[in-house]
Amino acid sequence: MNDKKLPLVAEILLKLFLPEIDYDYLLGDYTYLYNEKKETNGLLFAKLWIVVHTLRTIPSYIYQSLSMGAMMLKNYFLIAIRSISRNRIYSLINIGGFAVGLAAVIFIGLFINYELSYDKVHSNYDNIFRVTSNLPASSGISLSAPVSTGRTRDDLIEKIPEITKATRIETKTNYAISHEDKKFIEKKGLYVDQDFVEIFTTPVIDGELKNALSNVNTMVVTKNMAIKYFGRTDVAGETLIVEEKPFKITAVVENSFSNSHIKFDFLLSIISNFEGNKNALSKRGISYYTYFLVDSKNPENVFPKVKEVAQEGISKLMGKKSLKMNVSSDVQAFADVHLHSNMQFELEANGDINDVLLFALLGAVILIIAMINFVNIVTAKSQLRVTEIGIRKTLGAFRLNLINQFLGESIILTLIALIAALGLVSLLITPFADLMRIPLSISAVFNPSVFIKIVLFTVFVGVLAGLYPALFLSKLEPSRAIKSKRSLSNSKSFLRKFLVISQFSISITLIASIFVFQDQISYLKKAELGFDKEQVVVFQNLTPGIKSKADLICSELSRLEEVENAAQSGHLIGDQVNKNPVRIIADGEEKKGTVNQIEVSYNYLETIGVKLKEGRNFSKEIITDLRESVIVNEAFIKHFNLANPISKSVKLQGRNRKIVGVVKNFHFASLKHKIEPIIINVANWSNFLSVKLNSNDVKSTLNSVISTLNQFDPDYKVDYNFMNESFNAMYKNEERANTLFILSALLAIIISIVGLFALAAFTTERRTKEIGIRKVMGASIKEINRLLLKDFIYLIIIANIIALPIAYFSLEGWLLNFEYRIDLSIWPFIFAALISFIVSIASVVSQIYKAALANPVKSLKTE
Amino acid sequence: MKFLTRQEELVLLTIHLLEDKSSLISIREHLIESTGKDWSVSSVYMPLNKLTRHGFLSSQLGEPSLKRGGKAVKFYQLTKKAIEALNEINSINALMWKGFSGK
């Protein structure tokens, strides 16, 4: 019986915790001591003793693992650095390409983050909702706007207990504000209820928010506004003159959030508008933005009641008319507004969830390409290290060690790339923020939570990209590895070919898309609009002084030499067009509908060059034109099926009028939409002055126009746009998307080239021996070129075969979004294919030449 | 600045004292007696390992015995480097402990 051994349990535990090197001797020591204790103090004591001492090995075990671990890390780190510097060029290319990809992803991440965070800055955001109204009409012309009646707000509070706070928002285009000698026209002001500052997060700097807007003629200003008028921020208690009425400042708050559609420079108490004005609420019809806060776990439960209440308000306001017009009310979530709302008269031009999705897609694509590159280069490079791996394994490295080593290398590479990427981002963040029209600064990136996410993400990507090479490389058999380098290259090159093909397919698709985008956008811009937008200057934000004398001003202006015509309008085509219900009595039938409407001066249509089809234009000479005549467009005729439109009767805004003329269809809205029916009538009021120039020196003519205007009213702060610019601005989104596509395509191409370049370099390097032999056997450089090039050309051909059809169908689908679009021609695709070939041939050939020109003697000697 | 830890120093001194009989067991026994502290096997082994790795100790194997469950013993000896290090400690101590009387 061998009772000198330790109890089995103890031995097992000790085996776990004792270091391997001196394990035998240590086990011997423990056994010796155990047996001694057994002799001197008995078996039980010995057993206790060994238990205690086994446990006491644990601390040192932990300590040792940690320090060994640290040493291992240091070791791996050094090895990684060494291997990177040994293949410096390729590592650099790899890091560079990856850095570019990472930078792009970071930018895209910042954008998406911003857009998704919109409006969530308000602490109650998921309990805030707003009331909307829909005015559907026959055959699909409908109007949705996030507004309701003036009484809806009060009704909601009164009738629905779960709604604890609600506010109206009333907007005006201009406010004349002054304090002592500081006089400005402000635009970003809102008339609101007291609840506004309690529903939306408004951090206060001075004064108190409590009852800040509960009284008449009170206001809240933002920090910037306070500084603008008073030079300081502690201005609670001061007074500002707003449209000639004194308003007391009750509180000063922080500037409104940039990532919220609730933006303002100042808030005025809305009840100031109702004072002494009994019918004020109903006068402005359905034009009050109404936001409310629901205090409930299931806010959706109140929606039906809200809609009911709002509907009641509308019917009370419009009487029987509302039933005929089929106005309905709805509820929209606050958080959905920015990305998902597509209504008229939004408080602010919204973003689009499609943009966000597009960006996310682009980001994913770029990342995939960059990772493909990374994997490609690392795997290719690894061929060179096959010998090293073989030796390591022979010396006893476990597969796990190798995997760790290669993963470590990947992670280090990606982290270095991250540093480069961050550098790129800091350089380009300002132009990017301008392009995207969002406020971004480098601090957004170095914000701790964001930064950690970026680092973790990079490490994750590094691990992902490094996994394949790590697993693949560690599998190599040492003997095979050392003996022959070539045999491995073919076995896995299928994957590498696949990767190159994917990269190029993506790039080709993007290139083709760019061409098509460009074409479509220039088409939209140059399209025949049906009127002449060239050299038309539109003045807006007119002062009362200008407005009252608009007629006179127009005749004065027309007298100027290079002014062809000048007219006023209440609405602006391409911008704000009204929608109104009409009732037509024709051919014994009565037809109803809602159409677009603009109110203009007599010569407006001439001024902007709309062409008459039938009948006549408005004329000052004909007195009845002012109240009784309307002009309609071809779409109107078609929609209502009017055979002989002239002198047919139309009821508009409560009055019967006669159609005196029909104009050819013109695009008064974006070319994305079909031309809708429009009705035009003469009115005396003006919001806009449209001046048509016929001048070679636009600048000086413009100056004369401006000085004329200032003669009539020196207080008018000239605010104008060129009509062609505003129309082009309609395609801002498309242009932005296009710029993005161009950027990402460039990126994709760069990264693909990098990938192909490195790949070519490796392949040719590996085949130096072969090239040397061929040269010795008499092959010319051209022949060698052709031979090696063949392999790569196949890849590019396949990439084209895959990419071009995909591109074609996707682009066709995209074009369907536009009512007016180009026909997809074959040229973009030919160009894309050509570019792919040129680029790839250039990258590959440069490498092959280098190898082919090498001295065959030298190449044969190496090995 | 790299100094030997107190444990390492004590282990070296012990080996110096025990001369040929410096196995882990005997070193440990001596340390427990001299310092009055309860040294665990690991706490003696760690310094021994580190000192060996850094070249302060060399080792020899002894005969396996039954009492050790059939395992051999490792005997440690001081190297020249160890003697030098101990000399250094000694001279530093002479300077630093000068006049120390415990007050």
Side-chain angles (χ1 to χ4, degrees):
Chain A
M1 179 177 74
N2 195 354
D3 61 348
K4 297 290 188 185
K5 289 187 94 175
L6 285 176
L8 192 59
V9 179
E11 190 174 329
I12 296 176
L13 283 175
L14 284 173
K15 183 146 192 180
L16 262 183
F17 292 121
L18 290 179
E20 262 183 65
I21 337 167
D22 289 329
Y23 173 68
D24 275 343
Y25 314 114
L26 284 171
L27 193 63
D29 291 323
Y30 276 103
T31 315
Y32 181 88
L33 288 167
Y34 171 74
N35 285 321
E36 262 212 2
K37 300 292 177 212
K38 205 164 77 165
E39 281 165 27
T40 41
N41 302 45
L43 184 62
L44 189 62
F45 184 83
K47 284 199 175 164
L48 274 169
W49 183 91
I50 195 81
V51 165
V52 167
H53 274 256
T54 310
L55 291 174
R56 287 179 78 178
T57 60
I58 297 182
S60 355
Y61 170 73
I62 295 178
Y63 176 79
Q64 195 169 54
S65 318
L66 285 176
S67 45
M68 283 260 80
M71 216 167 60
M72 292 297 278
L73 275 177
K74 197 173 85 160
N75 205 11
Y76 281 148
F77 188 75
L78 283 173
I79 295 177
I81 298 282
R82 216 172 288 147
S83 96
I84 291 176
S85 19
R86 239 186 294 136
N87 299 305
R88 216 167 301 189
I89 319 169
Y90 303 120
S91 304
L92 223 61
I93 296 178
N94 206 5
I95 293 177
F98 206 70
V100 167
L102 266 179
V105 169
I106 292 178
F107 275 128
I108 290 177
L110 286 173
F111 172 79
I112 295 181
N113 194 34
Y114 181 82
E115 290 287 287
L116 289 179
S117 75
Y118 222 79
D119 286 330
K120 300 202 169 105
V121 274
H122 296 285
S123 33
N124 298 319
Y125 77 90
D126 47 5
N127 280 343
I128 303 178
F129 302 89
R130 65 179 187 180
V131 184
T132 66
S133 304
N134 305 312
L135 191 72
S138 38
S139 65
I141 309 170
S142 77
L143 160 62
S144 287
V147 289
S148 190
T149 61
R151 55 177 305 150
T152 303
R153 183 251 166 204
D154 291 329
D155 286 344
L156 285 177
I157 297 265
E158 196 184 297
K159 299 189 180 164
I160 305 180
E162 293 94 330
I163 295 185
T164 51
K165 297 188 200 296
T167 178
R168 285 164 290 218
I169 301 181
E170 203 186 311
T171 56
K172 236 171 78 129
T173 346
N174 293 333
Y175 303 80
I177 302 200
S178 62
H179 174 254
E180 289 167 10
D181 59 331
K182 295 210 163 62
K183 282 198 278 192
F184 298 99
I185 297 199
E186 301 287 344
K187 298 191 192 183
K188 289 168 65 173
L190 303 172
Y191 281 98
V192 299
D193 289 287
Q194 164 63 17
D195 280 351
F196 179 96
V197 295
E198 293 168 28
I199 296 178
F200 301 114
T201 307
T202 36
V204 67
I205 302 180
D206 191 32
E208 243 186 38
L209 284 182
K210 188 155 179 240
N211 292 325
L213 298 165
S214 311
N215 299 310
V216 223
N217 294 346
T218 50
M219 72 187 295
V220 170
V221 297
T222 56
K223 193 160 80 172
N224 280 349
M225 184 98 168
I227 295 181
K228 184 173 180 183
Y229 287 87
F230 297 91
R232 54 184 220 277
T233 57
D234 55 340
V235 299
E238 300 279 356
T239 308
L240 279 179
I241 312 283
V242 179
E243 296 285 324
E244 291 162 24
K245 278 195 262 181
F247 274 73
K248 179 158 153 226
I249 300 177
T250 46
V252 182
V253 294
E254 289 285 356
N255 299 328
S256 54
F257 297 105
S258 65
N259 53 340
S260 167
H261 73 273
I262 305 288
K263 289 198 168 81
F264 55 90
D265 281 335
F266 57 95
L267 304 167
L268 305 161
S269 61
I270 199 170
I271 50 179
S272 320
N273 282 342
F274 308 148
E275 191 185 32
N277 206 343
K278 274 197 106 181
N279 292 322
L281 265 182
S282 33
K283 231 172 64 166
R284 288 205 52 182
I286 308 178
S287 65
Y288 293 86
Y289 300 94
T290 306
Y291 289 78
F292 58 93
L293 186 67
V294 184
D295 183 17
S296 151
K297 286 216 176 81
N298 298 314
E300 324 79 60
N301 294 340
V302 304
F303 290 0
K305 276 192 275 183
V306 171
K307 295 188 207 179
E308 223 182 277
V309 167
Q311 269 308 111
E312 257 182 68
I314 292 180
S315 358
K316 284 212 182 111
L317 178 73
M318 305 177 75
K320 283 188 269 180
K321 264 199 279 177
S322 67
L323 294 167
K324 291 186 194 162
M325 291 202 299
N326 210 0
V327 182
S328 67
S329 301
D330 211 341
V331 178
Q332 193 181 41
F334 182 63
D336 286 345
V337 171
H338 181 67
L339 292 173
H340 300 278
S341 176
N342 249 323
M343 302 193 175
Q344 307 261 17
F345 308 122
E346 293 277 3
L347 276 169
E348 184 192 60
N350 281 337
D352 196 348
I353 189 72
N354 292 321
D355 270 356
V356 175
L357 291 172
L358 177 69
F359 265 88
L361 187 66
L362 277 177
V365 162
I366 294 175
L367 192 64
I368 292 175
I369 294 185
M371 282 174 68
I372 289 176
N373 232 25
F374 189 86
V375 172
N376 240 354
I377 296 182
V378 172
T379 358
K381 184 167 58 133
S382 65
Q383 306 297 22
L384 300 174
R385 303 173 59 186
V386 150
T387 340
E388 172 200 339
I389 298 169
I391 294 178
R392 270 182 182 264
K393 280 202 143 182
T394 323
L395 288 181
F398 287 111
R399 184 157 179 222
L400 188 65
N401 296 341
L402 283 170
I403 293 182
N404 285 337
Q405 178 195 330
F406 289 120
L407 271 182
E409 265 178 52
S410 296
I411 296 178
I412 290 177
L413 272 174
T414 49
L415 286 175
I416 299 179
L418 177 63
I419 297 176
L422 288 174
L424 266 176
V425 169
S426 342
L427 270 172
L428 298 172
I429 190 137
T430 331
F432 179 74
D434 288 338
L435 173 71
M436 296 285 106
R437 284 170 286 129
I438 24 174
L440 282 177
S441 75
I442 196 61
S443 51
V445 174
F446 288 114
N447 167 11
S449 68
V450 173
F451 189 68
I452 292 182
K453 281 193 210 141
I454 293 180
V455 172
L456 285 177
F457 177 74
T458 313
V459 170
F460 172 72
V461 165
V463 167
L464 208 62
L467 212 59
Y468 170 72
L471 288 170
F472 165 66
L473 289 174
S474 51
K475 246 203 291 191
L476 301 174
E477 297 283 311
S479 46
R480 279 183 63 202
I482 301 179
K483 256 192 271 180
S484 92
K485 280 190 181 182
R486 192 90 67 80
S487 58
L488 296 141
S489 63
N490 294 325
S491 53
K492 285 304 175 185
S493 67
F494 175 70
L495 182 70
R496 212 174 312 128
K497 284 184 188 155
F498 173 76
L499 296 179
V500 169
I501 293 176
S502 330
Q503 277 182 322
F504 268 85
S505 307
I506 296 175
S507 306
I508 292 168
T509 316
L510 285 174
I511 298 175
S513 309
I514 295 174
F515 284 121
V516 174
F517 266 48
Q518 268 310 126
D519 278 347
Q520 172 65 5
I521 290 179
S522 19
Y523 172 78
L524 288 178
K525 284 192 187 169
K526 291 201 210 114
E528 186 54 64
L529 291 174
F531 63 94
D532 191 358
K533 63 172 162 46
E534 297 306 318
Q535 293 217 7
V536 177
V537 191
V538 180
F539 292 89
Q540 58 197 21
N541 288 321
L542 309 174
T543 58
I546 301 263
K547 288 189 193 182
S548 52
K549 306 192 199 114
D551 253 342
L552 200 53
I553 296 178
C554 284
S555 7
E556 267 298 315
L557 286 174
S558 320
R559 264 196 258 142
L560 287 176
E561 202 188 293
E562 280 162 326
V563 173
E564 207 174 277
N565 218 334
Q568 2 133 348
S569 60
H571 305 95
L572 188 62
I573 58 176
D575 193 353
Q576 293 174 37
V577 173
N578 226 10
K579 286 209 195 244
N580 250 311
V582 292
R583 206 180 344 145
I584 303 157
I585 303 171
D587 309 324
E589 264 183 73
E590 195 183 84
K591 300 186 195 156
K592 283 188 282 192
T594 306
V595 299
N596 297 289
Q597 179 209 20
I598 53 174
E599 299 192 300
V600 301
S601 64
Y602 294 95
N603 58 343
Y604 182 75
L605 293 173
E606 282 168 37
T607 308
I608 58 169
V610 175
K611 303 217 182 342
L612 198 63
K613 186 174 174 206
E614 277 181 62
R616 62 171 177 84
N617 225 323
F618 296 123
S619 165
K620 237 183 182 156
E621 329 286 294
I622 305 180
I623 317 172
T624 49
D625 266 0
L626 180 56
R627 292 177 62 84
E628 293 178 19
S629 305
V630 287
I631 294 183
V632 298
N633 68 345
E634 289 171 306
F636 188 100
I637 307 292
K638 190 156 173 225
H639 178 77
F640 290 104
N641 230 328
L642 298 175
N644 299 313
I646 306 294
S647 70
K648 287 286 186 316
S649 176
V650 180
K651 190 163 185 187
L652 172 70
Q653 289 175 304
R655 235 186 310 151
N656 274 322
R657 312 170 194 241
K658 286 213 189 311
I659 299 178
V660 300
V662 181
V663 287
K664 290 192 145 190
N665 278 335
F666 63 99
H667 286 273
F668 51 88
S670 148
L671 274 109
K672 280 199 202 168
H673 310 120
K674 267 175 76 162
I675 297 189
E676 294 178 354
I678 190 169
I679 188 165
I680 308 170
N681 61 309
V682 183
N684 259 336
W685 58 294
S686 42
N687 274 336
F688 305 98
L689 281 182
S690 303
V691 184
K692 171 119 181 114
L693 307 176
N694 193 352
S695 147
N696 293 323
D697 184 358
V698 175
K699 196 158 180 224
S700 67
T701 317
L702 189 56
N703 281 333
S704 341
V705 171
I706 293 177
S707 52
T708 313
L709 286 173
N710 277 325
Q711 274 173 21
F712 279 89
D713 188 356
D715 282 337
Y716 174 56
K717 282 208 176 268
V718 178
D719 183 1
Y720 66 86
N721 277 319
F722 276 88
M723 201 177 238
N724 48 6
E725 282 172 8
S726 5
F727 264 82
N728 287 345
M730 267 193 243
Y731 310 112
K732 256 189 307 210
N733 269 350
E734 278 70 26
E735 291 211 294
R736 193 170 82 167
N738 193 32
T739 316
L740 269 157
F741 257 58
I742 295 182
L743 284 177
S744 13
L746 276 174
L747 254 144
I749 296 168
I750 291 176
I751 299 179
S752 307
I753 294 178
V754 161
L756 190 60
F757 190 88
L759 201 63
F762 283 119
T763 325
T764 39
E765 192 178 310
R766 244 188 316 112
R767 296 171 77 170
T768 28
K769 194 170 174 190
E770 177 191 337
I771 295 176
I773 294 179
R774 285 185 187 269
K775 268 190 107 171
V776 163
M777 302 295 257
S780 74
I781 295 189
K782 271 217 188 106
E783 286 168 8
I784 298 177
N785 232 345
R786 215 175 310 145
L787 176 69
L788 297 175
L789 199 56
K790 225 178 12 163
D791 296 330
F792 292 101
I793 295 298
Y794 275 144
L795 298 180
I796 306 300
I797 291 178
I798 297 178
N800 272 297
I801 294 177
I802 297 178
L804 292 176
I806 295 179
Y808 185 83
F809 289 115
S810 322
L811 287 169
E812 229 186 23
W814 175 73
L815 282 176
L816 285 174
N817 278 328
F818 296 86
E819 193 61 38
Y820 297 90
R821 52 181 180 264
I822 54 171
D823 290 319
L824 211 50
S825 90
I826 199 172
W827 288 109
F829 304 96
I830 296 187
F831 278 139
L834 259 170
I835 291 179
S836 69
F837 279 110
I838 295 177
V839 151
S840 46
I841 292 180
S843 342
V844 174
V845 159
S846 56
Q847 289 306 305
I848 299 182
Y849 257 107
K850 196 169 78 161
L853 288 174
N855 193 339
V857 176
K858 274 212 270 181
S859 16
L860 286 170
K861 259 208 250 171
T862 62
E863 292 286 325
Chain B
M1 282 190 305
K2 288 222 180 105
F3 290 110
L4 289 177
T5 68
R6 183 87 167 123
Q7 287 92 325
E8 287 161 1
E9 184 189 317
L10 290 171
V11 163
L12 285 176
L13 288 168
T14 310
I15 297 177
H16 182 251
L17 274 172
L18 296 178
E19 287 179 3
D20 292 331
K21 308 194 199 88
S22 318
S23 73
L24 192 150
I25 305 271
S26 47
I27 296 172
R28 176 173 174 264
E29 235 177 78
H30 186 266
L31 281 170
I32 294 177
E33 263 181 54
S34 322
T35 64
K37 309 273 189 216
D38 183 16
W39 293 62
S40 73
V41 173
S42 304
S43 57
V44 179
Y45 174 69
M46 301 276 281
L48 280 174
N49 188 12
K50 182 159 175 238
L51 290 167
T52 315
R53 273 187 290 124
H54 289 328
F56 292 98
L57 293 175
S58 60
S59 53
Q60 265 187 338
L61 290 178
E63 289 286 318
S65 79
L66 202 57
K67 198 163 180 188
R68 296 178 62 81
K71 312 286 182 192
V73 202
K74 217 177 196 184
F75 289 103
Y76 295 89
Q77 298 99 24
L78 298 178
T79 61
K80 202 163 86 172
K81 188 172 175 186
I83 306 280
E84 282 169 15
L86 285 172
N87 273 328
E88 194 185 320
I89 297 176
N90 205 10
S91 35
I92 294 176
N93 281 357
L95 289 171
M96 297 292 274
W97 285 86
K98 203 172 187 173
F100 185 82
S101 61
K103 295 244 180 65

